[in-house]
Amino acid sequence: MGTSSAQKLQSYLSGRWQDGDGIETELTDPVSGAILAFVSARGLDLAGALQFARMKGQPALRELTLASRAKLLGDVADVLTKHRERYEAIAIENSGNTRTDAAVDIDGGIGTLKYYARLGAGLGDARSLLDQGPVRLAKAENFQAIHLLHPRRGVAVQINAFNFPSWGLWEKAAVALLAGIPVIAKPASATALLSHEMVRDVADAGVLPAGAISLVCGGIGELLAHLDENDAVAFTGSNGTAMSIRSHANLVANHVAVNIEADSINSALLGPDAAPGSAAFDAFVREVVRETTVKAGQKCTAIRRAFVPAQHAKAATEALSAKLSAIVVGDPRDETVRMGPVVTRSQQRDVLGGIGRLAGEAKILCGGMDAPHIDGIDPAKSAFVAPTLLEISDPASAGAVHEIEVFGPAVSVIAYQNPDDAFAMVRRGGGSLVASFYSGDAAFLARAVNELAASHGRILAIDPAIATAHTGHGIVMPQCNHGGPGRAGNGEELGGLHGLRFYHQRVAVQGSDTLLATLQANAAKLN
Ligand code: NAP
């Protein structure tokens, strides 16, 4: 698709598709540089759209039982499944995804909708959730308290990063819609084409009540300035943008609930026992390579730091370097290609620059800070980065590797002397989404969990029994918590029904046991 056929993506606001003024961002094919589409939300009535969601979408969803809302999620998943092939083509074209990468994003989104549809179906006719059963408060046995979760009476504004235009959209929307909260979704501009097509198909199918979902294609303008205490903001993206949202004057003044999923310097830790040739060693190598190359390393959960015992560092770097150097990089339309480009030339600049900064304290073992040469592809228009392996020269004095998130196909190996040394260095990431451990020593795995749980939102502990059965370091399962402390944003998403909490008010109701029994009978159990 060249410039002449590029379309302007409309926003879906107040139940209508609408054009913003001019052009804010061009969406490109990161292989050819061709312009695919434009976005602009300039001049659109975002305050009016918010009001429409509040007045139409909110009451319509609120009136439905949890099981009926769950049915809506199933209907959305069915609509999206019908168009999957077209979405895959868009993911390849606009995000530089291979088919595997596209599946992580598209099927991840549809799968999460289906998961919450199943979970919600089991909640029956209830509209509220019982968080905690009766507790006695005084001498009188009939005076008690229960804890209920009641849905907020506002709108969920959901702002997403460029790397998951499908999964990011639907993992957030599924939870809010099940909670009975209408969604205003704002995909990252650079890859908004897929989100746009998906929401257009869902809107055309008429499966959701009016005002249940809106879409902003382009900048978010003054939307946040119109939110109040009933609303909630769920943000995924960089730490810089997270800071500006967290400190947004209106969100602060109106105490608007904000959930942040930000950047993260995730770790993989090879146990001291895991010698070359062991199942744990092989699982570690496999996972580090997969995490570095799937979606060209553009996953918030991807492994950025790979910790290895000093005695196995040589074997680990050799194995990783051999596998990463063998990855075929190129146009993802070619079936032999294992890794495509990063999404834009500006991301390519950031990633290559980040590798350059890490190289100040590391040796580059493969890849590097120059764009790779690929036959038939113009390096002046494309956005490729070679799979890059760095080895930190002096782990005791290194700093940048624990601070810089290179959001692309690059990973640093860091040798440790003993487990305490490794745990201390992992913690220097300042709070991460996920860490994975690889060992045949159950005592080491248990100790690693105890030492590192407080600085992570999720831990994957791989012993030989699950070496090939696990779902992956970087794959976010809707059953499990997604989020992390510290620089990862201190947020929480998903985790089964736990994810619904963000869209509810937890209320302690104190009263007679007979009243509480009636309220309990009308609420679905959260646990
Ligand atoms: P970004 O530049 O921070 O943008 C994220 C989103 O925020 C985009 O939709 C962007 O819109 C929007 N935005 C920009 N400025 C804004 C403002 N002032 N107010 C409100 N919204 C604003 O991040 P990105 O480059 O898209 O994504 C990469 C980063 O996301 C990485 O650091 C990665 O680690 C992180 N990430 C985290 C997770 C997680 O779950 N923790 C998942 C994926 C990615 P425009 O595109 O229109 O500017």
Side-chain angles (χ1 to χ4, degrees), residues 160 162-163 186 188-189 236-238 241 261-263 300 405 407 482:
N160 281 307
F162 69 79
N163 55 335
K186 144 83 185 109
S189 295
T236 295
S238 63
T241 313
E261 300 288 350
D263 67 17
C300 52
E405 184 202 44
F407 205 62
H482 175 57

Side-chain angles (χ1 to χ4, degrees), residues 7-89:
Q7 55 168 323
K8 182 185 262 179
L9 304 186
Q10 295 183 308
S11 292
Y12 188 55
L13 304 170
S14 303
R16 289 182 295 115
W17 288 96
Q18 305 181 31
D19 275 322
D21 299 332
I23 296 173
E24 284 182 312
T25 306
E26 290 173 347
L27 284 68
T28 55
D29 176 336
V31 173
S32 66
I35 296 168
L36 306 172
F38 308 96
V39 288
S40 174
R42 255 187 241 133
L44 293 175
D45 180 10
L46 297 177
L50 183 63
Q51 209 45 25
F52 183 82
R54 280 182 182 143
M55 304 309 292
K56 292 270 186 199
Q58 225 283 331
L61 289 169
R62 194 182 181 84
E63 196 172 282
L64 297 175
T65 64
L66 278 151
S68 316
R69 292 178 212 146
K71 161 96 174 47
L72 297 182
L73 301 185
D75 293 344
V76 170
D78 289 344
V79 172
L80 299 177
T81 302
K82 261 192 242 156
H83 301 283
R84 192 198 175 283
E85 218 172 299
R86 182 160 52 86
Y87 301 151
E88 184 183 81

